[in-house]
Amino acid sequence: LGFSGTPSSLLPLEMGACIHSMGDDAKMLRTLTNPAVVTSRMLPADWDVPGVLQLLAEMQPPVSALIDCGALVTGMNNREVAAYLLHRLPPQMEGVVFLEAGG
């Protein structure tokens, strides 16, 4: 899971309204700070978007989701990010799914 998180209720219209339950934020924080679930890396001072995507593509074990709700990945739309990753992910990853603006 790649997560650069800023809380948001923005979802594609087809998915309906985002409903937060009491304790959701605490559960998310507990999961995202659990070393058995998540690892972290410091990015170099001169990081760029292709470098971050390449890092994600090469991670072991492979990441299974990139959730960039904090808009770390800029200058590329979701389709471009998916295409970039598709050609760099390990062979066992057979595809990439992305959400497109406007459905």
Side-chain angles (χ1 to χ4, degrees), residues 28-69:
M28 179 192 67
L29 288 173
R30 184 174 53 237
T31 299
L32 293 176
T33 57
N34 181 345
V37 176
V38 176
T39 58
S40 63
R41 287 180 202 220
M42 287 292 271
L43 294 175
D46 63 343
W47 70 271
D48 61 6
V49 171
V52 170
L53 296 177
Q54 187 66 41
L55 177 70
L56 289 171
E58 295 172 353
M59 288 184 75
Q60 291 299 322
V63 296
S64 55
L66 167 60
I67 303 169
D68 185 29
C69 53

Side-chain angles (χ1 to χ4, degrees), residues 20-30:
H20 300 277
S21 297
M22 181 71 90
D24 282 351
D25 287 341
K27 290 175 190 173
M28 179 192 67
L29 288 173
R30 184 174 53 237

